[in-house]
Amino acid sequence: MDSHHPDSPAGADSRMPEGGIVALEKKIAMLESRAAIAEQRAEALDTALESARAGFWEWEVESGTIRIDRQWANITGHGPAEFGAMTIEKWRELCHPDDLGLVASSMDEFLDAAEGALDLELRVRHKSGEWIRVVDRGKITRRDRNGKPSQLTGSRQALDAQRDKCKPDAKKAQEELQALIDNIPGAMYHIDAAGQTIIRTKPPEFLKALASEHHGTPLFNTLSMIHHDDRHMVAGAYSKLREAPQSRTLVYRIATPEGGVRWIEDHMRSLFSDDGLFSGIDGLLCEITDRITSLEEARQLEAQLRKSQRLETIGTLAGGIAHDFNNILTPILGYSEMGLAGIGEDDPMHEYFAEIMQAAERAQKLVGQILTFSRAEEGKAASVSIQEIIDEAIQLLRPSLPSTITIEEHIDNSCRNVLADPTQMHQVVVNLCTNAFHAMEQTGGVLKIGLREISAENGAPSVVPKLPDGNYIELTVSDTGTGMDEPTIERIFEPFFTTKSIEKGTGLGLSVVHGIVTAANGQLSAESDPGKGSTFHVWLPVVENKSSNSPEEKLQPAKYTANVLFVDDEPAAVQMVTIMMTKLGYNIRAEKSPVEALNLFREQANQFDLVITDLTMPDMTGIQLTSEIHKISPSIPVILMTGYGKIIDHDTPLKHYGINRLLKKPVKLAQLASAVNEVLSSTKSP
């Protein structure tokens, strides 16, 4: 019996069936094909990674080893053999120290996640020693039995190559942006919710001294640098900006460490988060000191112009008042003079007429003071009594002084006269007294005016450096006001320098005083202490003749028989002069209209020996009338009467206008008689 089983090894054929060999060969061919494809894909992947400057890595988490390819090593300038066995510790050594914290937290977060991809940007050390920026991307490719990641696979790619392509354009854009920021005429800043201010641009000159560096960022305390008078306004604006999104523009001052002041224009905008919470203020600070200074100078010039125009208007008004007032005074003074001459001293009416005449003369002086103050008329240098000038100035100023200011006079009436322009001396006294008044306007005090005569041979006063030998009157004007410090005293006589507001003065008063005193061969000085007041000293050389009053003119009878044409639009003046001329023995024809007077003269030119005309009349002035009369009769003498002589240029001789004599209203009988006799004497033979 055959004991061999067909399937037993002993009974088996040692040869593989033909079908199995074929299948095995197909399987081998398939594996080789797959290997070739895999190799091709690996080569393609390697090429793609190299083209992208990317390298392959595979991290075995448990062992800490990292498998890298050639391109991964090339990114940092190394070859794969240089690293040896790459471990996670060596990998960390290549990382920038400042990035390790971010890398660790990002890796922990990624490993703890159930899914997702790693995308980590960091800096690594290049073989040259420089730091380059790379990005590591990867995924979990294997987990252990507990589901924890055991293997990560990914790539590393250099970012610098891509960024280098953008560098030129980015650098140019950055430079253009920086140039734009640098050319902004100011400082961009941000105030955070806590109130801390950071300058986002380079601090301009006006902020450099106020800004401090904090971690390379300029900071400044906004409110502390603002001028104390403007802080409340700025703080209020900040409060409004915190309430709702809005924009504001403020102009305020900042105080510099040197004690100066700069003007700032601040453009502000408040910022709020999406949930409506205040997050800060963005702003732009621009210095506008030059603009403010220019505007202030323009405003001052405009104010000075308005003041000059106002003074000119006041002067014109004063001249008009003086003209009308002198026309009123003409009959009062004339009638009282004739009434006084027509009665004896024992007559009770004599005293009445004397009082009327004295009052009229005082009114005449008052008009003269008004014209002097408004500079409507100016005389030439003459022997002047400063005592009389002081009296006139005080009478003019006293009504305008408040009751809190007391005037004390210490006047030596024995002082001799000085050679000066009376109008200008009046201006000196008024300006010095006004200056003292302004110094005491708020607090009150005492205004002292002193006058005495001194001799320079006995030693000049200590307050003046040097006076030539001779005798001088010393005028002092002092106050008990605010006083001045030494730097201010050194500049008070400079034109346009003033410590007053623009409403109080233009800085010309003391410079004008200095010019007047110097022109009169005198000297001027000031002494002052802050809080104790000021004293101004004026020294002027004296002249021998003590009185400047002209002798009283005596009534002169008419030396000639003459026919006189008198022209004045004021009826009272016409009547008064008619009576005077008749009393003096002259034949007079009076006309109230210069036009009618000219027509009369054309018809009867040979009938008149003298023309007396007023200056200011409707239709035609006295000067125009004179010119027309001289076209008819060039040789006829003319006397011009006026109560306001500003129209006449006193530097031009009267003969230029064809005028032989000028009489100022109100005119006395003796003055009229003397003038007529003088003019007729020069034009007629005895």
Side-chain angles (χ1 to χ4, degrees):
M1 179 174 181
D2 189 356
S3 59
H4 293 281
H5 192 279
D7 293 331
S8 64
D13 193 347
S14 59
R15 294 176 300 170
M16 180 178 292
E18 183 176 349
I21 295 173
V22 173
L24 180 60
E25 289 177 350
K26 288 182 179 180
K27 189 172 185 178
I28 292 172
M30 181 185 65
L31 291 174
E32 289 177 349
S33 175
R34 289 180 179 178
I37 293 173
E39 185 176 354
Q40 290 176 1
R41 289 181 177 177
E43 290 178 357
L45 178 60
D46 188 60
T47 301
L49 290 173
E50 184 175 1
S51 299
R53 293 191 64 189
F56 170 82
W57 57 266
E58 192 175 65
W59 177 25
E60 296 292 339
V61 178
E62 185 176 351
S63 64
T65 59
I66 301 176
R67 186 167 63 88
I68 60 174
D69 66 353
R70 175 178 55 83
Q71 184 58 32
W72 193 98
N74 288 342
I75 289 175
T76 56
H78 298 84
E82 295 183 40
F83 291 116
M86 174 62 68
T87 63
I88 191 65
E89 288 77 12
K90 291 182 179 180
W91 183 86
R92 287 175 179 165
E93 289 177 1
L94 292 175
C95 294
H96 194 286
D98 292 346
D99 295 345
L100 287 176
L102 176 63
V103 169
S105 60
S106 298
M107 290 295 295
D108 290 343
E109 183 178 349
F110 172 69
L111 293 174
D112 291 340
E115 57 183 16
L118 175 68
D119 195 335
L120 182 63
E121 185 175 331
L122 68 156
R123 289 167 291 177
V124 296
R125 187 187 301 276
H126 193 271
K127 187 176 181 180
S128 64
E130 297 180 357
W131 295 100
I132 64 172
R133 191 170 294 276
V134 300
V135 59
D136 280 348
R137 296 185 177 93
K139 285 188 174 183
I140 300 172
T141 53
R142 190 174 65 237
R143 296 178 180 271
D144 60 17
R145 295 178 179 179
N146 298 322
K148 292 184 178 181
S150 61
Q151 184 185 69
L152 277 71
T153 304
S155 66
R156 166 168 288 184
Q157 186 176 12
L159 295 178
D160 290 347
Q162 295 179 354
R163 293 183 179 181
D164 286 345
K165 297 178 182 179
C166 304
K167 274 186 179 179
D169 293 339
K171 183 177 181 181
K172 182 179 179 181
Q174 180 66 26
E175 290 175 351
E176 291 177 351
L177 177 61
Q178 190 61 46
L180 178 63
I181 293 174
D182 291 341
N183 287 324
I184 293 176
M188 298 173 63
Y189 69 90
H190 174 73
I191 304 176
D192 61 21
Q196 188 176 37
T197 306
I198 300 175
I199 306 177
R200 287 179 165 169
T201 57
K202 182 180 179 181
E205 289 296 327
F206 69 91
L207 276 182
K208 282 184 178 179
L210 296 169
S212 62
E213 293 291 332
H214 182 71
H215 297 300
T217 303
L219 306 174
F220 63 88
N221 188 323
T222 308
L223 287 179
S224 67
M225 75 174 184
I226 297 174
H227 192 278
H228 57 82
D229 291 342
D230 297 339
R231 288 180 188 173
H232 181 72
M233 173 189 67
V234 178
Y238 286 165
S239 297
K240 294 293 184 182
L241 288 168
R242 286 175 173 271
E243 294 174 358
Q246 56 183 296
S247 298
R248 288 189 171 227
T249 298
L250 295 181
V251 175
Y252 54 84
R253 294 160 292 177
I254 62 173
T256 64
E258 299 80 16
V261 172
R262 300 287 185 92
W263 283 91
I264 299 298
E265 188 174 66
D266 192 349
H267 304 271
M268 299 177 287
R269 180 173 63 92
S270 56
L271 306 174
F272 284 78
S273 62
D274 294 338
D275 54 0
L277 296 177
F278 173 75
S279 58
I281 298 172
D282 279 341
L284 175 65
L285 293 177
C286 300
E287 184 184 5
I288 57 171
T289 303
D290 292 341
R291 188 203 311 174
I292 294 294
T293 301
S294 298
L295 290 174
E296 182 65 19
E297 290 175 354
R299 189 183 72 83
Q300 290 181 2
L301 289 174
E302 183 180 354
Q304 290 176 7
L305 177 61
R306 286 199 301 268
K307 185 173 183 179
S308 298
Q309 292 173 338
R310 186 166 61 250
L311 289 175
E312 183 177 353
T313 302
I314 292 174
T316 303
L317 178 62
I321 293 174
H323 174 265
D324 293 340
F325 199 47
N326 280 330
N327 281 333
I328 296 172
L329 287 176
T330 295
I332 297 175
L333 190 61
Y335 283 125
S336 61
E337 183 184 19
M338 288 188 294
L340 192 62
I343 58 177
E345 293 185 2
D346 56 344
D347 192 311
M349 297 299 294
H350 185 278
E351 183 179 356
Y352 299 159
F353 279 114
E355 288 295 330
I356 295 173
M357 187 170 178
Q358 186 177 357
E361 288 175 342
R362 286 200 301 268
Q364 182 182 11
K365 289 183 179 180
L366 178 61
V367 174
Q369 290 178 16
I370 294 174
L371 292 174
T372 298
F373 188 73
S374 64
R375 303 177 188 179
E377 59 181 18
E378 296 181 357
K380 296 182 179 180
S383 180
V384 179
S385 170
I386 300 298
Q387 300 93 303
E388 295 179 2
I389 296 291
I390 293 173
D391 288 341
E392 293 175 359
I394 291 177
Q395 290 177 16
L396 188 65
L397 289 173
R398 192 184 294 275
S400 64
L401 296 180
S403 58
T404 55
I405 296 179
T406 304
I407 299 179
E408 290 186 5
E409 298 181 56
H410 303 277
I411 309 298
D412 183 357
N413 288 315
S414 65
C415 293
R416 286 175 286 182
N417 290 4
V418 299
L419 187 63
D421 183 338
T423 299
Q424 292 181 345
M425 286 298 103
H426 187 277
Q427 189 175 355
V428 167
V429 176
V430 168
N431 278 349
L432 291 179
C433 290
T434 302
N435 196 65
F437 154 61
H438 285 156
M440 300 183 291
E441 190 172 11
Q442 301 297 327
T443 60
V446 179
L447 169 60
K448 295 182 180 180
I449 304 175
L451 184 70
R452 64 172 181 164
E453 187 171 326
I454 64 170
S455 175
E457 288 91 341
N458 297 330
S462 59
V463 290
V464 69
K466 176 66 176 176
L467 279 175
D469 292 345
N471 294 324
Y472 297 81
I473 62 104
E474 181 186 31
L475 169 67
T476 58
V477 178
S478 62
D479 61 74
T480 57
T482 55
M484 298 174 287
D485 56 19
E486 201 62 39
T488 303
I489 294 177
E490 292 179 0
R491 298 191 60 193
I492 54 174
F493 298 118
E494 295 179 9
F496 299 108
F497 176 78
T498 179
T499 58
K500 306 170 188 175
S501 63
I502 189 64
E503 293 81 10
K504 296 294 183 182
T506 60
L508 289 173
L510 290 178
S511 64
V512 169
V513 168
H514 184 272
I516 293 173
V517 172
T518 303
N521 298 317
Q523 293 196 34
L524 172 68
S525 74
E527 52 183 341
S528 180
D529 289 317
K532 296 183 180 179
S534 305
T535 300
F536 287 85
H537 299 264
V538 177
W539 296 275
L540 294 168
V542 301
V543 292
E544 291 304 320
N545 51 327
K546 183 177 185 306
S547 176
S548 63
N549 295 329
S550 57
E552 187 72 23
E553 291 187 86
K554 295 182 179 180
L555 182 62
Q556 301 178 9
K559 295 181 180 179
Y560 307 97
T561 301
N563 296 320
V564 180
L565 174 62
F566 178 69
V567 188
D568 196 317
D569 63 309
E570 186 66 31
V574 170
Q575 184 177 359
M576 184 68 252
V577 174
T578 300
I579 295 174
M580 284 183 170
M581 294 299 290
T582 302
K583 185 177 181 65
L584 292 173
Y586 297 105
N587 298 319
I588 183 169
R589 174 69 181 269
E591 291 290 342
K592 298 176 183 177
S593 168
V595 176
E596 294 179 4
L598 180 60
N599 293 334
L600 175 65
F601 190 82
R602 285 195 179 103
E603 296 172 359
Q604 305 178 23
N606 296 329
Q607 301 297 319
F608 297 104
D609 303 298
L610 173 66
V611 175
I612 302 176
T613 177
D614 187 27
L615 172 62
T616 306
M617 298 179 292
D619 300 323
M620 189 180 298
T621 67
I623 293 176
Q624 293 171 333
L625 177 62
T626 300
S627 177
E628 294 298 323
I629 285 176
H630 281 162
K631 291 178 182 178
I632 303 169
S633 178
S635 61
I636 189 167
V638 177
I639 295 176
L640 184 68
M641 297 179 65
T642 178
Y644 178 55
K646 191 175 182 179
I647 299 176
I648 298 177
D649 183 0
H650 295 285
D651 293 331
T652 303
L654 291 174
K655 290 182 179 180
H656 174 77
Y657 303 104
I659 297 170
N660 299 78
R661 182 72 184 270
L662 177 67
L663 286 177
K664 291 185 179 181
K665 292 182 179 181
V667 62
K668 292 183 178 180
L669 182 61
Q671 293 173 332
L672 180 61
S674 175
V676 172
N677 278 335
E678 180 182 335
V679 171
L680 292 176
S681 296
S682 63
T683 57
K684 279 193 173 187
S685 301

